[in-house]
Amino acid sequence: MSMIRDLRAAVRPALRRTRTTSNYDATRDPSVSSAVIDCAVYRDGRRVSDHCSPTEAMKQVRAEGGFAWIGLHEPTEREFAGIAQEFGLHPLAVEDAVQAHQRPKLERYDDSLFTVFKTIHYVEHAELTATSEVVETGEVMCFTGRNFIVTVRHGGQGSLRALRHRLQEDPELLAKGPSAVLHAIADQVVDGYLAVADAVQDDIDEVEIDVFSAASSRRGGDAGRIYQLKREVLEFKRAVSPLLRPMQLLSERPMRVVDPDIQKYFRDVADHLARVNEQVLAFDDLLNSILQANLAQATVAQNEDMRKITSWAAIFAVPTMIAGIYGMNFDYMPELRWKFGYPAMLVVTVSICFVIHRGFKRNGWL
């Protein structure tokens, strides 16, 4: 793991320089972490500084007011150490932010909040198969203080660049401080959940129609696709359900770093999240029902096959029995010396088989 981490740290600076925004140039200051995507100071809802390091941004904030917003992408421990020290971030939260793969949560450390969001992205596919990837997950972690917000993103999804630009076009909202940014991030993440839920619903509808179609009833359906979709829904559930409690706390419990006016907006996010959670739970129950129906259809199909096999076995038992009897080497057997004995026995055999076949056909066994 240490070799992989060192290699990632070695190749990241070149990659970061190609995707850094035009408002921020990480190469101007060698001490600046290459994980920093953007760093700016906001005062009265407007961006007042560019091309500054996190240390310079905090100096401006302490001297002139406002707040700093620092955005990072997959920082290493070494890259995050200076920023954590500058903003006084708790070591436990810093460790979670660097290692990623955390459960959605909200933690309070003195005068700051540490929030973890799971981002969900729907993977487009032409056809759902037993190996199709339906959702991709990422993480956005937020350190929110009175005069700063540090966002740490993991994974290729959940970019905050468009969100930053959108907030900069609404100075009145951005003037509310770091909590306004935290709300905007939470709102964007939950809106993403809503979009993914609609797409997953379409996949479930497709599987449901296929399972209950006539062709699927004959072949027993495709349990592999159902299991795959159920696994993806479970991944979705792990992102949504744990976030319910943090959103309730942000919307109901007064916190020093959350503006009271912004707290009202968190209620709307919590309502949307509760709706998504209900959808995901319904998806899980519906997939269970579809899977049970699929297994029941497979059982019915097997029973039908066994009835057909049994019916044909019963039909062929008649000529087998007759041939077995006349295959015994006895001198005195019925019609053994008769000229028409052989064709007569064939006629009797075929007649009996025909009667049995017609009876099975009438009862639906064939």
Side-chain angles (χ1 to χ4, degrees):
M1 290 298 292
S2 60
M3 293 179 61
I4 296 175
R5 184 175 298 172
D6 292 341
L7 179 60
R8 186 176 63 177
V11 302
R12 183 180 288 117
L15 297 175
R16 288 279 161 67
R17 283 193 290 271
T18 63
R19 65 187 179 196
T20 303
T21 63
S22 58
N23 293 326
Y24 180 76
D25 184 6
T27 62
R28 291 189 52 172
D29 185 353
S31 65
V32 174
S33 168
S34 62
V36 177
I37 301 300
D38 201 353
C39 177
V41 174
Y42 297 88
R43 193 175 301 115
D44 297 327
R46 301 189 182 279
R47 185 167 181 149
V48 297
S49 71
D50 289 326
H51 311 303
C52 64
S53 67
T55 301
E56 294 170 347
M58 282 309 296
K59 287 181 179 178
Q60 293 184 37
V61 169
R62 294 187 182 105
E64 303 175 15
F67 73 94
W69 181 359
I70 295 89
L72 302 97
H73 182 257
E74 296 184 354
T76 62
E77 293 181 9
R78 182 181 303 175
E79 290 172 328
F80 202 28
I83 296 175
Q85 183 177 2
E86 178 66 36
F87 292 94
L89 306 180
H90 197 279
L92 292 177
V94 171
E95 181 180 358
D96 289 344
V98 171
Q99 293 181 354
H101 304 295
Q102 301 298 316
R103 189 172 184 266
K105 60 183 177 179
L106 171 67
E107 295 179 349
R108 287 185 287 183
Y109 297 99
D110 299 328
D111 291 334
S112 66
L113 296 176
F114 176 58
T115 315
V116 178
F117 300 97
K118 282 277 190 182
T119 58
I120 299 291
H121 172 70
Y122 180 77
V123 180
E124 296 290 344
H125 44 264
E127 182 182 0
L128 181 65
T129 65
T131 58
S132 295
E133 186 177 13
V134 179
V135 295
E136 287 181 345
T137 61
E139 292 179 51
V140 175
M141 306 177 183
C142 302
F143 295 88
T144 310
R146 291 184 175 182
N147 55 5
F148 70 87
I149 180 167
V150 179
T151 58
V152 181
R153 186 166 60 89
H154 289 269
Q157 309 301 327
S159 175
L160 303 178
R161 182 178 303 176
L163 175 64
R164 185 188 286 262
H165 292 163
R166 188 167 65 250
L167 284 175
Q168 290 174 172
E169 295 174 357
D170 189 357
E172 184 177 352
L173 179 61
L174 199 55
K176 298 294 183 180
S179 59
V181 179
L182 179 62
H183 162 264
I185 294 173
D187 189 50
Q188 176 172 287
V189 170
V190 174
D191 284 347
Y193 293 166
L194 290 170
V196 172
D198 291 339
V200 172
Q201 178 69 67
D202 293 338
D203 283 338
I204 294 177
D205 291 342
E206 178 185 343
V207 170
E208 185 177 18
I209 292 173
D210 183 71
V211 165
F212 289 100
S213 66
S216 177
S217 298
R218 288 194 297 269
R219 69 172 186 266
D222 189 353
R225 294 196 304 159
I226 303 174
Y227 274 116
Q228 177 65 16
L229 192 55
K230 188 172 177 60
R231 283 194 295 266
E232 298 296 315
V233 168
L234 179 60
E235 188 72 18
F236 195 4
K237 183 178 178 181
R238 288 171 180 167
V240 174
S241 296
L243 194 58
L244 287 171
R245 182 57 179 166
M247 287 298 103
Q248 290 177 353
L249 292 176
L250 288 171
S251 63
E252 298 173 359
R253 184 171 298 179
M255 298 182 184
R256 283 176 290 184
V257 299
V258 178
D259 188 285
D261 294 334
I262 295 297
Q263 194 167 37
K264 302 174 184 177
Y265 290 93
F266 277 111
R267 296 173 189 168
D268 182 63
V269 177
D271 289 341
H272 290 172
L273 183 64
R275 191 179 78 182
V276 176
N277 186 63
E278 292 174 356
Q279 283 184 280
V280 173
L281 294 178
F283 290 163
D284 195 32
D285 292 339
L286 182 57
L287 285 172
N288 285 334
S289 300
I290 293 174
L291 183 60
Q292 291 175 0
N294 176 261
L295 295 177
Q297 287 180 340
T299 302
V300 170
Q302 290 177 353
N303 290 338
E304 291 179 354
D305 293 339
M306 289 302 300
R307 286 194 303 181
K308 291 180 180 180
I309 294 172
T310 303
S311 299
W312 283 111
I315 292 173
F316 283 110
V318 174
T320 302
M321 179 190 67
I322 295 175
I325 292 175
Y326 277 87
M328 293 184 290
N329 297 320
F330 291 104
D331 289 334
Y332 301 99
M333 295 185 69
E335 313 302 338
L336 188 63
R337 303 295 180 181
W338 185 35
K339 179 179 179 181
F340 300 102
Y342 180 73
M345 192 55 59
L346 289 179
V347 171
V348 171
T349 302
V350 172
S351 299
I352 295 175
C353 291
F354 175 76
V355 172
I356 296 175
H357 181 275
R358 189 172 181 180
F360 284 142
K361 192 79 170 180
R362 188 186 299 114
N363 293 327
W365 282 47
L366 289 175

